């Protein structure tokens, strides 16, 4: 198993990568929560409460919501 490094032992590029990954994760979370708040119940697949909890699962939750949680408008 790889040995963990402290923040100070990371290179500047590694630090930027970690911070950027965190920013992307929080952006997806906020986008999913905003979308959930704006949609009517009939525009969401499943329970609104379930999706609100699920979007807090790192990366996977917001991706799952945008992939499967929203109903598409039928023409």
């Amino acid at each position: 198993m790889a040995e963990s490094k402290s923040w100070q032992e990371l290179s500047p590029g590694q630090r930027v990568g970690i911070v950027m990954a965190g920013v992307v994760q929080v952006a997806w979370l906020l986008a999913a929560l905003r979308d959930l708040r704006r949609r009517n119940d009939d525009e969401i697949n499943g329970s609104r409460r379930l999706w609100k909890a699920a979007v807090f699962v790192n990366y996977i939750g917001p991706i799952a919501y945008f992939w499967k949680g929203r109903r598409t408008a039928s023409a």
Side-chain angles (χ1 to χ4, degrees):
M1 189 160 149
E3 195 173 316
S4 344
K5 292 183 178 182
S6 69
W7 184 256
Q8 291 78 21
E9 295 173 325
L10 297 175
S11 71
Q14 290 172 322
R15 291 179 189 184
V16 168
I18 290 170
V19 170
M20 291 305 298
V23 167
V24 168
Q25 180 179 332
V26 170
W28 281 350
L29 168 66
L30 294 176
L33 289 173
R34 183 177 185 210
D35 190 76
L36 267 167
R37 188 178 70 236
R38 291 181 172 201
R39 286 185 180 271
N40 294 327
D41 286 340
D42 60 339
E43 296 175 312
I44 298 172
N45 287 323
S47 165
R48 181 180 302 271
R49 282 185 177 183
L50 176 68
W51 282 116
K52 279 184 181 179
V55 298
F56 283 96
V57 177
N58 294 345
Y59 289 103
I60 294 171
I63 291 170
Y65 170 70
F66 285 118
W67 183 37
K68 291 289 185 178
R70 301 185 313 164
R71 288 192 179 149
T72 57
S74 55

